[in-house]
Amino acid sequence: MANREELGIIKGARTGDGNSQLALGKLYLYGGVSLPKSIPTALYWLQRAVQQNRAEACLLIGAHVPFELARHQALELLPSYERAFDAGIAQAGLVLAQLVLAGGAALRGKALLGLKAAARAGLPDAQWLLARHGRPAAADAAAESRPVLPDEQEQAWLTGAGGGEAVRVLLDQSWEKGEWRQFLLLALPLARALAREASGDGGGKKPAGAASRALLLSRCAQALRHCGPGYDGAEIQRFYELAAHGGDRAAQLALGLWLARMDAGGARTQVGAGTVNFKRAIRWLTQAGEQGLAEAWFALSRIYIKSEFSQRSVTQAQSYLERAADMGHGAAQFECGVHAWRTRRDGENHDVRAAYWLLKAAARGCAEAEAALLKIAPPVAAGWAGAPPWAVRKLAARLPLLAARLELAALFGLSRAEALLLDVNAADQGHCLLVDIRASYGRGKRRLVLLRTAHERRALDRIADLFEGVDCGSGGPEGNYRQRLYRLKTCLAE
């Protein structure tokens, strides 16, 4: 609720007092003691104050009201933004330009002046608009028919001047929208200029400049490939090489695949010209992998199992595959899981490792991994352990360990023998429950139970805490198997 001072301001604003309307607009603009911050309400009262010839209201509108809100009443607000721009507020120049250019009003000249001032002030929206509207229509038509930038814009981009920042913004916009031809319209001349510059540096391949130049070359090569057949393979490879030498990891990955003549999954492709060069491909893929690209390690694993590769090594391929899996590559995780399951007789915990990788792959949406998990750890229900919750709580007061085993059986589908003999802490593998009671029960079998939900994880943690430090063998407090079974049958009968 508004306090006494704010109530006085509200009353004065409603009666038409200009100073009160200006003060109320400020309260809603910045938020008062008890009034919430509301830009639309602030705009309403500030516009009322403008009608009462309060100059400060124009400045506040120009500095704080964005284009998205102003465009609904552009004709009324244009004078306020023009006045605020004349007072030196760069944000007002940007909104003025957006209003004028969107509506085609007669203030285009002043709008462009405001746009340039806002761009010089570092506003990225202004820089993007300036790149779109800051040149005459004849230049736009020429650019559509001939993909060549004006020399001054090209030099501005290459030297990092202010005009180049506007070009960068426009390039980013086209790239994010997937407008490949529009991107190439601006990027191809710049990429070719960088290639010429690199060729003139004594034959060196590394482009002189920052990482943004390598990124431009890499994106330009990708855009050329997106535009379909007819591209110059030699030029694309040149762009990839320059970007890869510049440290762009996406270019290093793409160049490695290009030289190996394969896609990211290892399948043979017909891209590029000439013969396969696995040696150079491995060099670039290794650099991309060391920069954090799991796809590069996966591609290396595909190379090392190719029969035509002279240094073929299954061991090396598996090492790279596991590196890709550790970094979250879904296909690598699935293959690691399948390999661990196939070799489960070679290691005691290979089945546990297989479940780990397959769960990772299934979480990334791999349907094949989900199907493999159903074979490795089929779900089992334990109908015998379905005691009512009140009965379990009553049993927990007298025999907490037995009640916990009963809950464990119902939750994970354990048989009666498994529930009574399982060493809970040893069985917990993090992602699954390793059920193996063969040492105590001759008819037992080793199997896995997957932990799928957070509820199961919390329940297992709680039960494991209960068994912490408890000897689960026949010499422990629970006795041997016959004693546990007798106690269980007695409790179930009760």
Side-chain angles (χ1 to χ4, degrees):
M1 183 176 180
N3 58 28
R4 183 174 299 179
E5 180 183 356
E6 290 173 340
L7 286 173
I9 294 174
I10 293 172
K11 183 177 180 180
R14 288 176 176 172
T15 57
D17 179 67
N19 292 328
S20 297
Q21 291 169 344
L22 175 61
L24 187 56
K26 287 181 178 180
L27 286 176
Y28 279 111
L29 188 63
Y30 302 114
V33 176
S34 55
L35 293 179
K37 181 178 179 180
S38 174
I39 302 298
T41 309
L43 175 60
Y44 172 79
W45 288 113
L46 289 174
Q47 185 62 13
R48 295 278 296 270
V50 169
Q51 295 170 2
Q52 299 286 344
N53 298 320
R54 297 301 186 274
E56 186 181 356
C58 294
L59 303 182
L60 291 171
I61 290 174
H64 298 284
V65 179
F67 166 72
E68 290 75 13
L69 193 58
R71 62 190 177 92
H72 300 295
Q73 37 185 325
L75 292 178
E76 299 176 13
L77 294 176
L78 271 175
S80 297
Y81 284 103
E82 183 180 6
R83 191 167 179 178
F85 167 63
D86 290 337
I89 298 176
Q91 177 67 25
L94 168 61
V95 181
L96 174 66
Q98 290 174 315
L99 292 174
V100 171
L101 295 174
L107 289 173
R108 183 179 176 89
K110 175 159 277 190
L112 290 177
L113 288 176
L115 201 54
K116 291 176 181 178
R120 285 193 296 271
L123 299 177
D125 289 342
Q127 293 165 350
W128 183 81
L129 273 176
L130 185 62
R132 291 290 301 270
H133 299 282
R135 55 184 179 178
D140 289 336
E144 289 293 336
S145 60
R146 182 172 54 91
V148 179
L149 282 178
D151 291 340
E152 60 272 14
Q153 281 193 337
E154 181 177 306
Q155 290 303 316
W157 193 92
L158 293 176
T159 58
E165 184 61 33
V167 177
R168 284 191 183 92
V169 173
L170 188 55
L171 285 171
D172 289 341
Q173 294 274 351
S174 301
W175 178 263
E176 290 169 3
K177 293 179 180 178
E179 298 172 349
W180 312 120
R181 298 190 183 279
Q182 177 66 25
F183 177 82
L184 288 173
L185 187 71
L186 292 172
L188 196 55
L190 294 171
R192 286 171 176 166
L194 286 173
R196 290 193 302 270
E197 182 182 324
S199 299
D201 290 342
K205 291 185 177 180
K206 185 174 181 178
S212 60
R213 300 188 173 198
L215 178 63
L216 174 79
L217 289 162
S218 175
R219 287 182 171 181
C220 194
Q222 293 179 59
L224 284 171
R225 295 180 66 178
H226 276 296
C227 287
Y231 54 74
D232 185 355
E235 184 174 48
I236 289 177
Q237 183 169 335
R238 174 66 172 162
F239 289 163
Y240 275 144
E241 287 175 348
L242 290 170
H245 278 282
D248 185 86
R249 63 179 191 172
Q252 291 168 347
L253 171 63
L255 180 59
L257 295 174
W258 180 277
L259 293 169
R261 304 292 183 263
M262 68 182 195
D263 60 17
R268 184 68 182 268
T269 63
Q270 300 300 323
V271 298
T275 59
V276 175
N277 192 329
F278 285 129
K279 184 177 180 180
R280 291 186 62 202
I282 289 172
R283 171 195 172 190
W284 290 116
L285 289 172
T286 302
Q287 290 191 30
E290 288 172 349
Q291 290 203 70
L293 282 184
E295 294 87 349
W297 297 122
F298 184 75
L300 281 168
S301 73
R302 302 299 88 188
I303 290 177
Y304 273 91
I305 61 172
K306 286 184 177 293
S307 58
E308 62 267 31
F309 183 40
S310 61
Q311 300 177 21
R312 183 177 186 271
S313 170
V314 176
T315 303
Q316 191 72 13
Q318 186 63 26
S319 172
Y320 288 134
L321 190 69
E322 290 182 0
R323 293 188 72 169
D326 283 331
M327 296 173 68
H329 193 282
Q333 291 169 342
F334 173 69
E335 287 205 20
C336 282
V338 171
H339 179 266
W341 180 248
R342 287 174 179 170
T343 60
R344 61 188 179 277
R345 290 182 176 84
D346 298 338
E348 185 178 3
N349 284 324
H350 279 208
D351 54 348
V352 176
R353 189 167 181 79
Y356 172 79
W357 287 123
L358 291 172
L359 277 171
K360 292 279 189 183
R364 301 182 71 86
C366 179
E368 294 174 317
E370 193 66 50
L373 285 171
L374 291 177
K375 296 179 180 179
I376 293 175
V380 178
W384 68 271
W390 64 265
V392 176
R393 288 195 297 270
K394 184 177 179 181
L395 179 62
R398 293 190 295 117
L399 300 168
L401 297 181
L402 182 59
R405 289 184 179 278
L406 197 62
E407 182 183 357
L408 201 65
L411 192 61
F412 296 108
L414 304 182
S415 67
R416 191 164 54 184
E418 290 170 342
L420 292 175
L421 294 173
L422 187 68
D423 186 343
V424 180
N425 286 289
D428 186 6
Q429 301 296 314
H431 62 283
C432 70
L433 200 64
L434 174 58
V435 181
D436 188 1
I437 59 171
R438 290 175 296 177
S440 305
Y441 190 74
R443 288 179 290 174
K445 293 182 179 180
R446 178 188 174 101
R447 68 186 186 92
L448 302 180
V449 180
L450 302 179
L451 297 178
R452 292 285 198 169
T453 65
H455 168 68
E456 292 175 347
R457 180 70 262 173
R458 288 193 298 268
L460 183 57
D461 288 340
R462 175 172 48 79
I463 294 172
D465 289 341
L466 189 63
F467 280 90
E468 187 70 33
V470 175
D471 182 7
C472 293
S474 59
E478 296 178 280
N480 58 30
Y481 177 61
R482 289 183 177 276
Q483 292 171 326
R484 298 181 194 186
L485 183 60
Y486 174 77
R487 195 177 299 117
L488 174 65
K489 288 180 177 180
T490 303
C491 292
L492 290 179
E494 292 176 359

XYZ file of all heavy atoms in Angstrom, residues 29 31 33 44 67 74 85 93 96 111 121 168 193 204 206 233 250 256 278 299 313 321 354 357 373 397 415 425 449:
205
model
N 9.246 4.093 -12.671
C 10.415 3.770 -13.478
C 11.486 3.067 -12.652
O 12.111 2.090 -13.093
C 10.982 5.048 -14.106
C 12.094 4.874 -15.133
C 11.591 4.110 -16.344
C 12.632 6.242 -15.555
N 10.931 2.225 -9.195
C 10.345 1.513 -8.069
C 10.358 2.379 -6.827
O 11.399 2.914 -6.439
N 8.896 3.210 -2.624
C 8.937 2.525 -1.344
C 7.910 1.398 -1.325
O 8.176 0.286 -0.878
C 8.684 3.517 -0.196
C 8.628 2.787 1.136
C 9.775 4.582 -0.180
N 3.361 5.654 -19.280
C 2.062 6.352 -19.322
C 2.148 7.706 -18.631
O 1.747 8.737 -19.195
C 1.000 5.478 -18.657
C -0.325 6.185 -18.477
C -1.216 6.320 -19.533
C -0.682 6.725 -17.238
C -2.426 6.976 -19.362
C -1.891 7.379 -17.058
C -2.758 7.503 -18.122
O -3.961 8.159 -17.958
N 12.527 -0.214 -27.391
C 11.780 -0.188 -28.647
C 10.548 -1.092 -28.587
O 9.503 -0.756 -29.128
C 12.714 -0.627 -29.785
C 11.999 -0.962 -31.059
C 11.441 0.031 -31.849
C 11.871 -2.288 -31.474
C 10.781 -0.277 -33.029
C 11.211 -2.595 -32.647
C 10.663 -1.583 -33.430
N 4.375 4.707 -31.674
C 5.575 5.326 -32.246
C 5.365 6.796 -32.573
O 6.222 7.642 -32.284
C 5.990 4.552 -33.493
N 17.682 12.289 -27.972
C 18.884 12.090 -28.783
C 19.655 13.392 -28.959
O 20.881 13.422 -28.882
C 18.499 11.502 -30.135
C 19.619 11.542 -31.143
C 20.794 10.838 -30.921
C 19.501 12.299 -32.295
C 21.835 10.884 -31.838
C 20.537 12.351 -33.214
C 21.706 11.640 -32.990
N 18.904 7.442 -29.435
C 19.200 7.406 -30.866
C 18.919 6.049 -31.466
O 18.408 5.945 -32.584
N 15.089 5.629 -31.633
C 14.598 6.527 -32.682
C 14.828 5.903 -34.051
O 13.936 5.902 -34.910
C 15.320 7.875 -32.572
C 15.027 8.890 -33.697
C 13.571 9.331 -33.640
C 15.961 10.091 -33.583
N 17.474 9.585 -38.020
C 17.526 8.238 -37.476
C 18.892 7.599 -37.718
O 19.468 6.956 -36.840
C 16.430 7.374 -38.090
N 28.634 4.250 -29.386
C 28.547 4.050 -27.937
C 28.660 2.574 -27.541
O 28.674 2.245 -26.362
C 27.235 4.624 -27.399
N 30.587 -8.004 -38.080
C 30.619 -9.219 -37.266
C 29.231 -9.555 -36.726
O 28.818 -10.715 -36.710
C 31.592 -9.057 -36.100
C 33.055 -9.157 -36.499
C 33.931 -9.268 -35.261
N 35.340 -9.297 -35.622
C 36.122 -8.242 -35.709
N 35.633 -7.045 -35.462
N 37.390 -8.355 -36.049
N 40.132 -12.622 -48.542
C 41.137 -11.619 -48.190
C 42.112 -12.177 -47.157
O 43.326 -11.939 -47.233
C 40.450 -10.362 -47.653
N 53.414 -18.782 -45.093
C 52.889 -19.333 -43.845
C 51.418 -19.608 -43.950
O 50.700 -18.956 -44.689
N 49.349 -19.850 -41.083
C 48.609 -19.328 -39.946
C 48.144 -17.916 -40.229
O 48.941 -17.034 -40.520
C 49.486 -19.328 -38.695
C 48.735 -18.921 -37.459
C 49.589 -19.076 -36.231
C 48.819 -18.694 -34.977
N 49.622 -18.878 -33.770
N 36.442 -27.470 -53.867
C 36.994 -28.268 -52.787
C 38.344 -27.772 -52.318
O 38.647 -27.799 -51.121
N 36.703 -26.642 -34.293
C 35.731 -27.168 -35.254
C 36.387 -27.349 -36.616
O 36.109 -28.330 -37.330
C 34.528 -26.228 -35.356
N 40.283 -32.857 -40.320
C 40.658 -34.248 -40.118
C 39.713 -35.201 -40.830
O 40.146 -36.158 -41.487
N 45.582 -40.417 -43.955
C 45.287 -40.708 -42.563
C 46.285 -40.048 -41.614
O 45.925 -39.660 -40.502
C 45.274 -42.220 -42.330
C 44.047 -42.911 -42.854
C 44.158 -44.019 -43.675
C 42.785 -42.455 -42.527
C 43.025 -44.656 -44.157
C 41.649 -43.083 -43.001
C 41.776 -44.186 -43.827
N 36.185 -40.167 -33.982
C 36.659 -40.321 -35.359
C 38.012 -41.033 -35.402
O 38.264 -41.871 -36.282
C 36.756 -38.952 -36.031
N 45.086 -50.604 -35.177
C 45.302 -51.093 -33.818
C 43.975 -51.077 -33.073
O 43.415 -50.010 -32.806
C 46.337 -50.234 -33.097
O 46.385 -50.561 -31.727
N 38.114 -44.602 -28.130
C 36.670 -44.746 -27.947
C 36.280 -44.427 -26.509
O 35.274 -43.734 -26.253
C 36.252 -46.162 -28.322
C 34.750 -46.428 -28.428
C 34.175 -45.696 -29.620
C 34.491 -47.923 -28.573
N 29.609 -52.472 -18.426
C 28.701 -52.431 -19.577
C 27.411 -51.694 -19.217
O 26.918 -50.859 -19.980
C 28.399 -53.850 -20.043
N 28.041 -47.800 -19.081
C 28.089 -47.084 -20.361
C 26.737 -47.098 -21.072
O 26.338 -46.107 -21.694
C 29.164 -47.698 -21.256
C 30.564 -47.386 -20.847
C 31.561 -48.275 -20.547
C 31.141 -46.081 -20.672
N 32.704 -47.617 -20.202
C 32.481 -46.264 -20.274
C 30.657 -44.784 -20.813
C 33.336 -45.204 -20.020
C 31.508 -43.714 -20.557
C 32.828 -43.934 -20.162
N 20.068 -52.877 -22.426
C 19.913 -52.895 -20.969
C 18.830 -53.875 -20.532
O 18.945 -54.517 -19.479
C 19.591 -51.489 -20.461
C 20.757 -50.500 -20.422
C 20.264 -49.096 -20.126
C 21.788 -50.925 -19.380
N 10.436 -51.150 13.914
C 10.631 -50.795 15.317
C 11.290 -51.935 16.090
O 12.046 -51.699 17.041
C 9.288 -50.439 15.948
N 14.879 -61.820 -4.859
C 14.269 -63.052 -4.354
C 14.442 -63.095 -2.834
O 15.159 -62.283 -2.238
C 14.934 -64.268 -4.997
O 16.278 -64.377 -4.552
N 26.196 -52.864 1.178
C 27.235 -51.882 0.839
C 28.163 -52.389 -0.254
O 28.608 -51.625 -1.101
C 28.039 -51.517 2.093
C 27.250 -50.622 3.029
O 27.012 -49.459 2.747
N 26.828 -51.179 4.152
N 20.883 -55.161 -11.056
C 19.619 -54.432 -10.950
C 19.950 -52.949 -11.138
O 20.746 -52.386 -10.380
C 18.928 -54.659 -9.589
C 17.624 -53.877 -9.544
C 18.681 -56.136 -9.358
